Amino acid sequence: TKIASNELWGVIVHPTLADICRMILKYFRMAQEKYPGVTWEEIVIWKMDLRGAYTLLFIKTEDTRLFSSLMTDEQVIFFFSGIFGWTGTPAAFQVVTRAMMYELALVLEGLTVMYVDDVIGVCLRRHVEREMGVMRTLFTNVLGSDSVEDLKSMFGRRSTVIGYDLDCDNCLATVSQKNLYRALHGFLTVDLEQTISVEYLQKLASW
């Protein structure tokens, strides 16, 4: 399934922390050329999150039979939207990600990257409201009026993205406080003299 998904929709290439940092520095150089006198203190990072991610994909009615799954007591469930857990869903959603990135490059003042359903952008403070407004309009027009998680949309000189804290004031990129606490909690709660379940080991790995 993974091979077939890659052949059909393309191999996923996620932006890394280094890509995001390079994007911020690249935009600052662009802004200096376009707006003489602009300072580093005018740069802000913003982010926007899509609500439901894969569930924003809808499956054609005639194809829902291909997404059926046998449950207990011989009950069968049919999925009408994209689902978490199917090998091909990330590659299918990546088509949406690439399409959105293409459109955003045409209309935004600043620069953006997109990690699945998380959009991370950089621009001047004077442009941020317009940038986020354009972004929201594009997503709601394509994916539906409830597709944006407004409570998670934010901007500022410091932001947490894909598990890292980006701090423009101190020019610092580091692991987020939440993830640091998770890792410390994992180290401090495991009894090295006892066995642990595979499920708990997987949780530790995710931390």
Side-chain angles (χ1 to χ4, degrees), residues 95-121:
V95 177
V96 175
T97 301
R98 290 196 298 268
M100 294 297 99
M101 286 299 300
Y102 176 83
E103 293 295 331
L104 290 171
L106 299 177
V107 296
L108 291 185
E109 165 71 24
L111 298 176
T112 59
V113 294
M114 195 167 173
Y115 193 105
V116 188
D117 59 338
D118 291 326
V119 190
I120 304 142

Side-chain angles (χ1 to χ4, degrees), residues 72-96:
T72 57
D73 299 325
E74 298 185 351
Q75 298 294 312
V76 177
I77 184 172
F78 291 88
F79 295 96
F80 292 88
S81 68
I83 56 176
F84 290 83
W86 180 57
T87 303
T89 308
F93 194 84
Q94 182 69 10
V95 177
V96 175

Side-chain angles (χ1 to χ4, degrees), residues 3-198:
I3 294 172
S5 298
N6 289 343
E7 291 176 349
L8 180 61
W9 291 306
V11 176
I12 300 172
V13 179
H14 291 305
T16 65
L17 175 63
D19 292 331
I20 296 171
C21 292
R22 280 193 289 265
M23 174 188 73
I24 295 170
L25 295 173
K26 178 182 178 181
Y27 176 72
F28 180 53
R29 290 192 293 268
M30 291 169 52
Q32 285 181 307
E33 293 180 4
K34 188 172 183 179
Y35 305 103
V38 72
T39 65
W40 175 250
E41 286 67 29
E42 295 178 68
I43 296 292
V44 294
I45 307 165
W46 59 267
K47 66 178 183 177
M48 189 170 287
D49 185 62
L50 296 181
R51 178 183 288 129
Y54 300 153
T55 62
L56 294 172
L57 296 175
F58 288 91
I59 299 167
K60 291 181 179 179
T61 304
E62 60 268 27
D63 293 333
T64 55
R65 61 187 178 82
L66 301 174
F67 285 84
S68 61
S69 180
L70 185 64
M71 309 295 284
T72 57
D73 299 325
E74 298 185 351
Q75 298 294 312
V76 177
I77 184 172
F78 291 88
F79 295 96
F80 292 88
S81 68
I83 56 176
F84 290 83
W86 180 57
T87 303
T89 308
F93 194 84
Q94 182 69 10
V95 177
V96 175
T97 301
R98 290 196 298 268
M100 294 297 99
M101 286 299 300
Y102 176 83
E103 293 295 331
L104 290 171
L106 299 177
V107 296
L108 291 185
E109 165 71 24
L111 298 176
T112 59
V113 294
M114 195 167 173
Y115 193 105
V116 188
D117 59 338
D118 291 326
V119 190
I120 304 142
V122 59
C123 66
L124 298 179
R125 186 178 295 275
R126 70 186 82 161
H127 298 144
V128 69
E129 290 187 12
R130 175 198 173 274
E131 298 283 272
M132 296 183 74
V134 169
M135 167 75 74
R136 192 182 191 287
T137 298
L138 176 61
F139 280 124
T140 53
N141 283 348
V142 174
L143 300 172
S145 59
D146 294 326
S147 58
V148 175
E149 187 65 79
D150 289 317
L151 293 178
K152 293 184 179 180
S153 298
M154 58 81 63
F155 69 90
R157 293 281 291 168
R158 181 172 181 170
S159 181
T160 301
V161 297
I162 63 171
Y164 295 95
D165 278 343
L166 301 180
D167 186 340
C168 289
D169 289 329
N170 294 304
C171 294
L172 180 68
T174 184
V175 64
S176 71
Q177 188 178 67
K178 182 178 180 180
N179 283 348
L180 177 61
Y181 286 164
R182 281 176 172 173
L184 287 174
H185 176 74
F187 277 116
L188 296 173
T189 55
V190 174
D191 185 347
L192 298 180
E193 303 300 322
Q194 302 292 325
T195 60
I196 63 173
S197 69
V198 172

